[in-house]
């Protein structure tokens, strides 16, 4: 995947073709970077498992194989000058897209197996367990949101020509794909975009463990973070807050609303979520009171009149 990212980066420089409003090599570049992070993180998580190691080995190899097939097909379509996703222009294109859909289902199922193994693995540090399990479960939800894009849009259904349509499915909601978009990400600035919650959800796999690593690194400088109980509380708050963010961005996208143009309802929901997370962080940073030991009554220890507490 790192090699695919390098090839795609070269393609961005030397190939000026535009497809659906974006540089034609942008999709394989972003996909390969995402798969690189995804694979590295899953490999690290599998190394933490103490139960079902053989099953985890097979699941990890399924992830590798399906991701490889996905990227070969995406890059192959780029070379042909065709869109890889939602393409039903010809029988060949439609069959390729079907194969891609099957690989995604297999990849999701393999990740589910890994998540189950992580749930059953006993980790000594509870904060680490929360970060790994929470990240894996939210990533599964984020990956599952990708299936929404494969469904025909309301506009495509209204047209009534799904059997002959060249494109079935879309990542934009309320507007056609390929319109005005944010730089770098390519997310729509005029309508909803299901790639946003898909992206946010999947990368919980990296961000929650990275948060824990940051807390551990800061512990020598911030006394409260040296308490394992405080780190556990903070990771719990972050996990719940992150799940809320995935839900919020999904709700916003499904209403056909651009990320950068939220309405009053979205702003209120975001404010409530932010306030809840802030309150949770404040509560998590309150250290539990130290146990106060009550001295026992003195008793004669020996004829020497010495006493022990």
């Amino acid at each position: 995947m790192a090699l695919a990212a390098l090839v795609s980066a070269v393609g961005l420089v030397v190939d000026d073709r535009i497809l659906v409003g974006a540089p034609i090599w942008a999709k394989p570049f972003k996909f390969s970077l995402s798969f690189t992070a995804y694979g590295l993180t899953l490999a690290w998580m599998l190394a933490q498992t103490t139960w079902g190691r053989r099953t985890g080995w097979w699941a990890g190899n399924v992830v590798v194989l399906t991701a490889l097939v996905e990227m070969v097909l995406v890059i192959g379509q780029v070379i042909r000058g065709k869109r890889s996703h939602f393409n039903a222009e010809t029988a060949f294109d439609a069959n390729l897209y079907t194969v891609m859909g099957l690989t995604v289902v297999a990849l999701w199922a393999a990740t589910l197996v890994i998540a189950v193994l992580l749930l059953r693995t006993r980790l000594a540090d509870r904060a680490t367990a929360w970060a790994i399990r929470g990240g894996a479960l939210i990533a599964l939800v984020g990956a599952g949101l990708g299936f929404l894009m494969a469904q025909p849009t309301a506009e495509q259904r209204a047209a009534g020509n799904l059997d002959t349509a060249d494109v079935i499915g879309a990542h934009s909601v309320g507007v056609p794909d390929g319109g005005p978009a944010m730089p770098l990400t390519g997310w729509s600035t005029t309508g909803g975009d299901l790639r946003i919650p898909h992206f946010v959800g999947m990368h919980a796999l990296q961000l929650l463990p990275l948060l824990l690593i940051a807390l551990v690194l800061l512990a020598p400088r911030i006394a409260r973070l040296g308490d394992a109980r405080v780190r556990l509380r903070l990771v719990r708050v972050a996990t719940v807050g992150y799940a809320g963010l995935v839900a919020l961005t999904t709700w916003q996208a499904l209403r056909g609303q651009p990320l950068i143009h939220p309405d009053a309802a979205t702003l209120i929901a975001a404010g409530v979520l932010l306030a809840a997370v802030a309150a949770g962080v404040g509560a998590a940073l309150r250290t539990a009171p130290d146990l106060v030991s009550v001295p026992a009554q003195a008793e004669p220890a020996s004829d020497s009149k010495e006493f022990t507490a």
Side-chain angles (χ1 to χ4, degrees), residues 11-71:
L12 284 170
V13 174
V14 302
D15 191 343
D16 60 359
R17 288 179 296 167
I18 301 295
L19 183 65
V20 197
I24 198 169
W25 285 95
K27 177 172 287 187
F29 179 70
K30 291 186 288 186
F31 271 44
S32 54
L33 285 182
S34 181
F35 273 134
T36 299
Y38 193 75
L40 286 172
T41 309
L42 280 183
W44 172 71
M45 289 183 173
L46 279 170
Q48 314 305 311
T49 58
T50 57
W51 180 86
R53 297 294 296 270
R54 185 68 176 174
T55 302
W57 183 87
W58 277 107
N61 278 282
V62 170
V63 169
V64 171
L65 177 61
T66 53
L68 178 61
V69 172
E70 178 89 357
M71 285 306 304

Side-chain angles (χ1 to χ4, degrees), residues 1 21 55 59-60 63-64 70 77-78 113 119 122 131 139-140 146 159 176 180 189 230 262 283 287 301:
M1 293 303 160
T55 302
V63 169
V64 171
E70 178 89 357
Q77 287 293 74
V78 165
V113 171
L119 287 172
R122 293 189 177 184
L140 276 172
T189 58
V230 172
T287 55

Side-chain angles (χ1 to χ4, degrees), residues 274-284 286:
L274 184 60
V277 170
V281 170
R286 297 193 194 103

Side-chain angles (χ1 to χ4, degrees), residues 116-211:
V116 171
L117 295 179
L118 293 171
L119 287 172
R120 298 201 58 175
T121 294
R122 293 189 177 184
L123 299 174
D125 183 65
R126 295 177 66 192
T128 301
W130 260 88
I132 289 177
R133 293 167 182 169
L137 291 176
I138 295 175
L140 276 172
V141 174
L145 291 172
F147 296 116
L148 294 176
M149 305 182 209
Q151 304 303 312
T153 66
E155 294 78 10
Q156 290 167 352
R157 289 194 183 95
N161 60 342
L162 294 180
D163 292 336
T164 58
D166 291 341
V167 176
I168 300 177
H171 50 70
S172 298
V173 179
V175 295
D177 285 349
M182 297 171 60
L184 298 180
T185 63
W187 297 336
S188 176
T189 58
T190 56
D193 200 317
L194 290 168
R195 291 175 297 181
I196 298 171
H198 180 60
F199 173 87
V200 173
M202 286 192 65
H203 289 290
L205 197 71
Q206 294 87 36
L207 293 178
L208 289 177
L210 284 175
L211 169 65

